[in-house]
Amino acid sequence: MAFDRRNFADIIAQFTVDAEHLREVAADFRHDMRLGLAGSPDSSLRMLPSYLGLPTGEERGDYLALDFGGTNVRVLLYRLEGSGRYEVLSHVAKPLKVSGDYDYVGGEATAEQLFDFLAGLVDEAVGGDQKTPYLLGHTFSFPSAQTNINDARLIIWTKEFAVQGVEGAVVNDLLKEALVRRGLANVTPNAVINDTVAVLLSAAYINGDTQIGAIYATGHNTCYLEPYAGGAQQPMILNMESGGFQKLTPNRFDIALDAASEKPGEQRLEKMVGGRYMGTLFDMALAELLGEQGRLYGFTSVDISRILEDQSECADCASGVVEMMTGRRLSEEDAPRVRELAHAIVVRSVRLMTATFAGTMWQVAGAGKIRRQHIAVDGSVYEKMPHVTENIMRAFSELLGEDAALVDTLLAGGGSGLGAALAAAMTAHEAQG
C-alpha cells in the first residue's frame, strides 16, 4: 500500500504545540505546583521535600557517593575543593547482575546480599581503609517515602528490581548494617537524594545561578528550589515527579500508547516527552501512514536521533533506517515526510518540557522578575537528540519574551555522583551548625 499523504498533514498537526497551547501548559503547570504546595489532592505534582537547599559552592572535604539508579552501580570518592572545584579520587563501577555469575536484581536475591555487594564496592573505593571517617551520600532513584535527609524508605521497586526485604525498609539503615558487617564502621551514610535533585546540586555547585534541575532521558523529571517567599519555611529543593503531570491534551497516539502501557492513566507528561516513548509514538504514526495501523516496528529514540541527523535534501539515511525497521522502501518524496514526522514528535516533546520549565520559573520569581539563571539538564535525549537546545530556546522566546535572554540550559552530565557527595557535605555542615 502507498504512503498515505492525505493523512500526513493531520498527523503532523496532532504533534504540533502552538504558542497559545504552550502558554496554557506553562500556566497549568504553575497552577498545579501551587496546588501541590498547598497539599491539594487536585495537583498531579508530588512536590516531595529533599530536606536540602542549594550548595554554597564552597563545600570542602572528602566524601563518598553511592549512585544507585539502575543495574549499574557506582561508588566514587570525591574531594570537594570549594569554588565549585572537585576531584574524583577513586571510582568503582559494577553491574548488579552478571549472567551465569550473580544476580542482585531479581527476586531470588535478599536485601543482605544486595547491600553486602554495595558495601564491597565502598570498601574498594576507599582502598580497604577501615579507620578514616567518611560520610557517604546516596543517590537512590526509586520511589521512596522520606521524612528527613537520611530516612528514605523504599515504597516499591521499579525498573524490574525484585530483591526481597528492601521494600518498606530504610535503605541507608540496610547500607549501614552491611558496612558494619564489612568492617567499615568508619563509613557513615548521612544523606539520600533523588537523581534529579543530584543534578541540581552538582550544577549549582559548579555554576551557581541554578535553581532548576531536570532529567531528560528515557524518562523525565524536574526539581527546583522553592523559595517559600513570605513563609516561615527555609528554601528547599522539591522533587516534583513532574513526569506525572496530567493537565495536558493527549492526541490519539498518546491515548493508544497509554492504554497499552504498564500503568495506564499515569505519567502523562513522561509518556509525551520521554525517550522511552518517542519510538512507540513514531511507530504508531508511521504504521498509519504505511497502511499498517496497529503494527509496531520497534523504533527507539536512538532510531529517531539517526533519522534527524540526516540533513540531506532527499533524506537517504532516514529512508535507510525506515527500510531496515519496516521492510518498506520510501519514495524520494516520502522520505523527507517521515523525517518531518520524527522532527514533529521530538519538537513537541521539547516544547512541552520547556513549558513546564517556564511555569517553574514563574513560581520561583513569584511577584518579581525572572532573574538570570541556568537550568541544569542531564540525560541522553538532551545530550544526543538533534534539535533539542534550539527548540528549548525558541519555546522560551515565545513564553518569556525579552526575559528569555536571561535563561539558558546546560548539560549536567554525571551529576548523580557529585550531587550525592555534595548532599553528604551539606548535611554534615548543617549537623555541625
Side-chain angles (χ1 to χ4, degrees):
M1 184 179 248
F3 189 91
D4 187 353
R5 295 173 187 170
R6 287 181 299 176
N7 195 22
F8 177 71
D10 174 66
I11 288 177
I12 295 299
Q14 295 266 326
F15 288 103
T16 299
V17 178
D18 62 22
E20 182 180 359
H21 186 188
L22 199 67
R23 284 189 288 271
E24 287 175 1
V25 172
D28 287 344
F29 191 83
R30 187 192 181 188
H31 183 63
D32 249 24
M33 291 177 72
R34 298 177 83 169
L35 287 174
L37 288 168
S40 169
D42 294 329
S43 175
S44 58
L45 298 172
R46 293 193 183 180
M47 312 304 279
L48 302 173
S50 71
Y51 303 96
L52 288 172
L54 293 178
T56 63
E58 293 305 313
E59 286 74 13
R60 289 181 169 84
D62 293 353
Y63 296 92
L64 283 162
L66 169 59
D67 182 10
F68 185 0
T71 53
N72 289 300
V73 176
R74 303 185 304 153
V75 177
L76 305 98
L77 179 58
Y78 284 90
R79 176 160 293 163
L80 304 178
E81 299 171 341
S83 301
R85 293 177 292 112
Y86 67 94
E87 181 183 354
V88 179
L89 301 179
S90 67
H91 178 194
V92 179
K94 287 185 180 175
L96 288 171
K97 180 178 180 178
V98 174
S99 184
D101 193 358
Y102 62 84
D103 180 354
Y104 301 122
V105 174
E108 297 299 311
T110 65
E112 186 169 313
Q113 290 171 331
L114 169 62
F115 283 88
D116 281 349
F117 181 81
L118 298 178
L121 298 184
V122 174
D123 197 2
E124 199 173 331
V126 299
D129 181 355
Q130 298 186 354
K131 294 183 179 179
T132 306
Y134 291 105
L135 295 176
L136 179 146
H138 185 178
T139 298
F140 185 70
S141 305
F142 298 88
S144 303
Q146 197 160 351
T147 55
N148 61 51
I149 186 59
N150 197 39
D151 179 17
R153 192 179 297 271
L154 177 64
I155 298 169
I156 187 170
W157 279 123
T158 56
K159 309 175 190 180
E160 306 307 316
F161 275 71
V163 180
Q164 303 170 42
V166 186
E167 291 181 348
V170 176
V171 292
N172 265 5
D173 287 354
L174 296 174
L175 179 60
K176 179 64 177 175
E177 291 164 7
L179 290 166
V180 169
R181 286 195 296 271
R182 188 82 184 193
L184 292 170
N186 55 313
V187 177
T188 304
N190 74 332
V192 183
I193 56 173
N194 171 273
D195 56 349
T196 316
V197 173
V199 166
L200 177 52
L201 292 178
S202 63
Y205 176 71
I206 296 167
N207 299 285
D209 295 329
T210 311
Q211 296 177 306
I212 299 171
I215 301 288
Y216 189 26
T218 303
H220 171 62
N221 188 23
T222 301
C223 68
Y224 77 108
L225 183 73
E226 169 54 48
Y228 289 115
Q233 288 177 271
Q234 290 292 313
M236 183 189 290
I237 298 171
L238 299 182
N239 166 23
M240 294 188 279
E241 292 294 333
S242 58
F245 179 58
Q246 293 282 22
K247 287 156 190 177
L248 297 160
T249 306
N251 64 31
R252 67 176 186 271
F253 302 107
D254 298 313
I255 292 167
L257 181 150
D258 178 63
S261 68
E262 296 162 5
K263 295 181 179 179
E266 296 183 25
Q267 298 298 99
R268 166 61 65 213
L269 176 64
E270 185 167 83
K271 289 171 181 171
M272 294 171 75
V273 308
R276 177 180 180 183
Y277 304 100
M278 287 179 182
T280 304
L281 292 169
F282 182 79
D283 256 0
M284 291 191 292
L286 181 62
E288 240 186 61
L289 291 168
L290 295 178
E292 299 180 322
Q293 189 165 356
R295 183 176 171 188
L296 292 179
Y297 306 109
F299 283 93
T300 68
S301 60
V302 175
D303 298 314
I304 302 283
S305 180
R306 289 174 59 207
I307 289 169
L308 294 180
E309 284 166 0
D310 179 1
Q311 298 295 310
S312 66
E313 189 174 338
C314 57
D316 276 345
C317 178
S319 182
V321 173
V322 171
E323 184 174 13
M324 181 181 68
M325 298 297 293
T326 68
R328 300 278 293 272
R329 182 69 182 172
L330 298 171
S331 70
E332 287 188 12
E333 295 83 10
D334 293 332
R337 290 187 175 96
V338 169
R339 182 174 58 193
E340 186 180 342
L341 171 63
H343 183 261
I345 289 169
V346 170
V347 170
R348 183 188 72 155
S349 165
V350 173
R351 286 171 69 78
L352 291 176
M353 181 183 70
T354 307
T356 70
F357 290 164
T360 305
M361 283 188 286
W362 291 339
Q363 171 63 22
V364 171
K369 282 182 63 67
I370 286 174
R371 297 186 304 157
R372 186 171 296 282
Q373 61 190 282
H374 310 292
I375 296 174
V377 189
D378 191 16
S380 54
V381 175
Y382 179 78
E383 185 175 4
K384 297 176 180 176
M385 184 68 71
H387 311 304
V388 167
T389 50
E390 62 262 39
N391 279 289
I392 288 175
M393 296 317 297
R394 188 172 294 128
F396 275 146
S397 293
E398 293 175 43
L399 289 163
L400 306 177
E402 292 181 358
D403 287 345
L406 301 173
V407 182
D408 65 11
T409 58
L410 54 84
L411 177 65
S416 291
L418 178 57
L422 285 162
M426 293 164 65
T427 304
H429 179 75
E430 287 182 9
Q432 291 166 359

